[in-house]
Amino acid sequence: MPRPPSPLTAQQLGRLLLRCCSFSSTSLTPRALSSLTFPQSHFFSLSKPYFHSSFSPLLFFQPQVSLSRAFCSQPSTTSHQDQSLLAQSLSSELLKFSEFESLSLPQRLDLSFSHISITPDLIRETLNLSHDAGRTALDFLKWVSSRSPKFELTDEVYSFFVEYFGRRKDFKAIHDILVDGKGIIGTKTFAASIDRLVRAGRPAEALSFFDKMKMAYGLVRDRPSLNLIVTELCEHGHASYAEKMVKNLANELFPDEYVCDVLIKGWCVNKKLEEARRLAREMYRGGFEIGTMAYNAILDCVCKLCREKDPFRLQAEAEKVLVDMDAAGVPRNVETFNVLITNLCKIRKTEDAMKLFFRMGEWGCYPDATTFLVLTRSLYQAARIGEGDEMVDRMKSAGYGNALDKKAYYEFLKILCGIERIDHAMSVFAKMKEDGCKPGIKTYDLLMGKLCAHGRVDKANALFNEALQNGIQVEPKVYKLDPRFVKKPKAVKKEKKRLTLPEKMALKRKKLKKLRLSYVKKPRGMMRRMF
């Protein structure tokens, strides 16, 4: 049995470091070379948690030495790709179990990443990759704050950590972060905190946060912060909390027309049309003018309620809102037409939506990206393929080609595959690649499944190979062939057998016998009498 290798001494480790550094592009000064002699106990403390009996100390220590940039005198300027690699390396450190590590996270990061230059984008990307790190992200924040001479914590950086813990609904950690960042945090951190509280379904806690934000966290409570929290509450269906807060703060921060319009919109999000109209009447009595945003919200609420209860009344009810809008002197904008066109398309009245589209110029409005996308989807859904392609061309010529992203093309392909227009879906897929949109896993999986359902396995295999060449890891699956597209074998007609004369005579006698028996009377004794 071979003898296990003995551990390296401090001199041997120093020579190994010198040899590895000599292969790097940067040369070391004599002063830096003299600093490479480390005490022996320091190396043993590093190698102890990672040492395994099946690996020699040389193999263990090699990955640690390969980071030759740690000994460079100048900080390295990393590109976007290098930043992604750094973020993955930092994320792997955050995801390690602390129970199996002898050193804390800040100490480990100091040993391996002391040479890197930290940026807000790097911090955000690292947190996005570390979903399961949990409270270890607090240690990451401590390490980032310890790099104070080179990197200063800002309001934006604190907002990244608030969003991270908000996604995990760990509001105790958010409180600790806000207390720690008192004096630094500002509008971005406040917006992230309110957004995460409201998204988590905690409107009462959001109101209490707004009440104590000045005393507890040093945040300024002014009109922009009031507008922000009212907008967040109303967009997520908590208009009652928002209205109550606005009325309580009326002596300190009197509401303006924007706040009133947002409150009406909040009631319309909950489909409470009567509450929205009640608030509109109160605004009118208070001397406020209802803006276009409020009327658009009421119009959308009316259309949604009609779609649920009676779709045939949608156009008549919408016309009443438009008449009130014109009587109040409130001008229509592109959002007004987008609301009408969207709701008409959802009840499959594509022709009426197209007529409204061509009449937008009468009110001085012009379609935007949302108008084109909604109409294109509706035209494809109605199997008006040529008109849908023309709408895409109009969209590009109007200057909204940037809105045709991966998500928009995927929706087009999904509709075309749903109406079994696979050939046109493939042509739209080709346009997608021509426009510079790189298809994702969902797009390839959708087209491959539909091609296999149509029995076109060769094209599905070609798409699979194309995805692999583009670096997209599509999982091979078992796709079912649609019975409607199964090629049925042609039925072979049986040739009529030619009978011989004896067979013809036998068949004739059989028919005559059957004919004679049909005239024979049935015996009455066999029949039972009915009493």
Side-chain angles (χ1 to χ4, degrees), residues 364-429:
C365 299
Y366 299 96
D368 59 358
T370 305
T371 317
F372 286 113
L373 289 174
V374 169
L375 284 172
T376 305
R377 287 196 295 265
S378 183
L379 288 168
Y380 280 150
Q381 188 71 49
R384 298 163 69 170
I385 308 298
E387 295 179 61
D389 292 342
E390 289 178 8
M391 192 61 65
V392 172
D393 295 337
R394 283 184 185 223
M395 182 176 179
K396 291 179 181 178
S397 61
Y400 296 107
N402 295 332
L404 289 169
D405 53 0
K406 188 191 301 185
K407 181 181 177 183
Y409 272 112
Y410 177 76
E411 290 176 352
F412 296 160
L413 293 172
K414 194 173 180 181
I415 292 171
L416 290 170
C417 290
I419 62 173
E420 307 299 339
R421 297 296 179 93
I422 186 64
D423 291 327
H424 198 78
M426 293 301 295
S427 65
V428 172
F429 180 67

Side-chain angles (χ1 to χ4, degrees), residues 417-515:
C417 290
I419 62 173
E420 307 299 339
R421 297 296 179 93
I422 186 64
D423 291 327
H424 198 78
M426 293 301 295
S427 65
V428 172
F429 180 67
K431 287 183 183 178
M432 175 183 181
K433 292 186 286 187
E434 289 175 4
D435 292 344
C437 294
K438 294 184 178 179
I441 297 177
K442 285 186 175 181
T443 308
Y444 278 108
D445 190 54
L446 173 68
L447 292 174
M448 286 162 52
K450 188 54 68 173
L451 285 169
C452 289
H454 281 248
R456 301 161 73 173
V457 185
D458 51 347
K459 289 194 175 183
N461 287 332
L463 277 181
F464 180 76
N465 295 329
E466 179 187 328
L468 293 180
Q469 289 176 1
N470 294 334
I472 299 171
Q473 300 298 326
V474 181
E475 296 182 4
K477 298 179 182 177
V478 179
Y479 296 102
K480 292 184 179 180
L481 179 63
D482 197 328
R484 294 175 296 172
F485 304 105
V486 176
K487 293 182 180 179
K488 298 179 181 179
K490 293 182 179 179
V492 181
K493 292 184 178 180
K494 293 183 179 180
E495 294 183 1
K496 198 171 182 181
K497 188 179 177 182
R498 190 170 181 179
L499 301 176
T500 60
L501 183 61
E503 290 175 343
K504 288 181 179 179
M505 296 301 294
L507 187 61
K508 186 177 180 180
R509 285 194 296 269
K510 188 177 179 181
K511 288 182 179 179
L512 288 172
K513 185 179 179 181
K514 192 182 290 187
L515 185 62

